Amino acid sequence: MSTAEPLPPAEPESPLWQQEAREQFPIVTAHPELAYLDSAATSQKPRAVLEAVQTYLTTSNANAGRGTYPWANRTTDLVESTRERVKEFLHDPEPGRSGVHFTSGTSEGLRAVARDWLVSHLTDGDEILVPYGDHRANLDPWVEAQRLLAERGAQVRVRPLPYQTASGDYDHQALARAVGPRTRFVAATHIHHVYGGDMNVHRIRDAVGPDVVICLDAAQSVGHLPVHVDDPSLDVDFVVFSGHKALALPGSGAIWARNVRGSAFRPEGWQGTPNTTGIVSLRAALDWLDTVGLERVGQWTTMLSTRLTDRLVRLGPYEVLGCQASLSADSLLPAGQRRHGIVTFRHHEIPSDDLGFILFSHGFMVRADSLCQAGADARDASVRVSLHVYNTVEEIDRLVSVLASLA
């Protein structure tokens, strides 16, 4: 048993805006004895989202794009207006040119980009660069695309994105050297789902040049912090995200396509009945997040993450994964390089799955496994704490106290 250093004084009470935001989540306020710390898997839903869905289902539930009676027309209008709402939320500079297509989440969205767009834009000898250390959903579709092309006689090379060993970010200098005349496509992640770090995708465009298509897995950024596709530093062609991680219902998500490089993205095949309740919930969630303010939501979860890592490094048996230069609260790294609402760690002696059960016995709901990371298996299990606007300083301090008792 190691002796931890005394914890710094507690932060002041949560600001009023955060208290008011937390009160909007019925499942959270109904269980004050529990701390939900698994928002990277799926977020909880504010009352505004739940009420929007109930209102839709009890006033105008119908299929979209098929009937001509009022309920069907209202549903169609809801779906189409939500496409425009997504563009607005992402600060789309050319909404008349871009497209938004609804999916069940990031995994389905990335696979749709791979099968319905990328395959038709590659020829024999082309190369793509993809992340072999991120979520499997941002690796498997591109490998599948390579296989589909091989079946048609086109050999496409899939190359790994290079990483920096110390920070876990992409190695943008090595990436620039890896880009060749046949490089056509790069798949990247905005916020890493294990390490919580900003992967500095703003440097990718400079590294790969003006013509290479970039697809961004934004599952852990959209709905968690501001995402501006109008910013020249975020010159990407696809943004794919999960609505259910952004306070909307399960089974909701979207692909935003800039439609500048290559042909416009259109899903192949017959499009069946859309998830209208999911789409309604997504619009309500985006409205709610804009009202609360994504800038301060992101600052709040980053502060909580920093508070947790700052205390964990004082506890001997724990290893915090990811960049080691941003663990302490007095780190000189800018806030943008800190963990954005995700802290993942291991105990040197207690297996991570056992630690997950122990933490739940104390009222903490965390993720404890290999976290769907590409190349990882059960031996790489870790404990992930992931946060959103409803989490508090008190929850973090209480979690640290439990972890300290196990040190």
Side-chain angles (χ1 to χ4, degrees):
M1 303 286 282
S2 63
T3 302
E5 299 178 21
L7 295 180
E11 294 284 334
E13 188 178 9
S14 297
L16 180 60
W17 74 265
Q18 193 277 331
Q19 295 179 48
E20 292 176 344
R22 177 181 168 89
E23 288 297 317
Q24 294 301 306
F25 292 83
I27 195 171
V28 172
T29 57
H31 299 281
E33 76 284 3
L34 299 176
Y36 183 76
L37 304 175
D38 196 20
S39 293
T42 196
S43 63
Q44 299 303 335
K45 323 305 175 190
R47 188 172 291 108
V49 169
L50 303 175
E51 291 176 350
V53 171
Q54 183 178 32
T55 297
Y56 165 72
L57 290 175
T58 56
T59 62
S60 57
N61 177 45
N63 213 330
R66 288 160 173 80
T68 57
Y69 49 89
W71 291 1
N73 291 338
R74 285 201 294 270
T75 298
T76 300
D77 289 344
L78 276 169
V79 171
E80 295 309 313
S81 65
T82 303
R83 297 188 204 276
E84 300 308 310
R85 185 67 182 91
V86 170
K87 296 178 186 182
E88 180 185 24
F89 189 78
L90 296 177
H91 305 274
D92 188 340
E94 295 185 273
R97 183 173 192 170
S98 64
V100 170
H101 306 273
F102 297 112
T103 70
S104 65
T106 306
S107 297
E108 182 192 349
L110 294 170
R111 193 163 184 259
V113 173
R115 293 177 65 95
D116 298 343
W117 190 89
L118 182 61
V119 167
S120 63
H121 285 75
L122 297 178
T123 59
D124 191 62
D126 284 344
E127 295 182 348
I128 64 176
L129 289 97
V130 303
Y132 276 73
D134 297 357
H135 197 289
R136 284 193 58 182
N138 203 16
L139 172 62
D140 292 356
W142 320 120
V143 175
E144 181 184 11
Q146 179 191 40
R147 178 182 58 78
L148 291 173
L149 285 160
E151 292 173 356
R152 304 175 190 180
Q155 299 301 317
V156 170
R157 186 180 182 188
V158 177
R159 302 183 62 189
L161 272 174
Y163 293 84
Q164 296 178 8
T165 302
S167 68
D169 295 348
Y170 301 129
D171 187 331
H172 300 89
Q173 293 182 342
L175 173 59
R177 295 191 296 269
V179 174
R182 299 299 298 273
T183 302
R184 300 288 183 252
F185 179 89
V186 173
T189 299
H190 200 181
I191 301 297
H192 201 280
H193 77 291
V194 176
Y195 309 127
D198 185 331
M199 300 300 286
N200 289 301
V201 294
H202 62 280
R203 298 177 185 164
I204 291 181
R205 177 58 64 196
D206 289 340
V208 304
D211 300 323
V212 175
V213 172
I214 301 173
C215 179
L216 190 63
D217 172 352
Q220 303 299 343
S221 57
V222 172
H224 300 260
L225 48 87
V227 177
H228 286 254
V229 297
D230 60 339
D231 189 330
S233 67
L234 200 62
D235 181 13
V236 299
D237 299 275
F238 297 96
V239 173
V240 186
F241 68 94
S242 299
H244 70 91
K245 298 180 192 291
L247 312 185
L249 291 187
S252 62
I255 302 167
W256 172 84
R258 194 182 292 273
N259 295 336
V260 170
R261 301 171 181 89
S263 62
F265 173 77
R266 293 184 179 86
E268 292 184 358
W270 177 257
Q271 301 301 299
T273 299
N275 177 8
T276 53
T277 52
I279 294 168
V280 167
S281 76
L282 178 59
R283 177 171 187 141
L286 300 185
D287 290 344
W288 190 89
L289 286 163
D290 269 346
T291 299
V292 172
L294 268 172
E295 187 75 36
R296 60 184 181 181
V297 170
Q299 291 172 353
W300 179 254
T301 57
T302 298
M303 180 276 292
L304 294 179
S305 302
T306 302
R307 186 173 182 85
L308 177 55
T309 59
D310 184 69
R311 284 144 176 77
L312 272 178
V313 295
R314 305 165 188 272
L315 306 177
Y318 294 96
E319 171 196 7
V320 180
L321 306 186
C323 178
Q324 300 299 296
S326 62
L327 295 176
S328 65
D330 58 0
S331 168
L332 297 179
L333 283 181
Q337 294 304 301
R338 295 186 178 278
R339 288 161 178 77
H340 293 278
I342 295 174
V343 177
T344 303
F345 57 92
R346 297 189 182 103
H347 192 289
H348 291 316
E349 298 176 0
I350 303 174
S352 293
D353 53 352
D354 290 345
L355 185 55
F357 284 115
I358 293 170
L359 290 176
F360 179 70
S361 71
H362 290 274
F364 299 101
M365 292 176 279
V366 299
R367 178 82 175 265
D369 54 34
S370 58
L371 307 179
C372 300
Q373 186 173 16
D377 57 29
R379 294 168 296 180
D380 301 300
S382 54
V383 173
R384 182 179 69 185
V385 170
S386 52
L387 309 159
H388 216 299
V389 66
Y390 35 75
N391 293 117
T392 66
V393 169
E394 184 273 335
E395 289 175 336
I396 295 301
D397 288 351
R398 186 156 47 91
L399 172 65
V400 171
S401 295
V402 173
L403 293 173
S405 72
L406 303 173

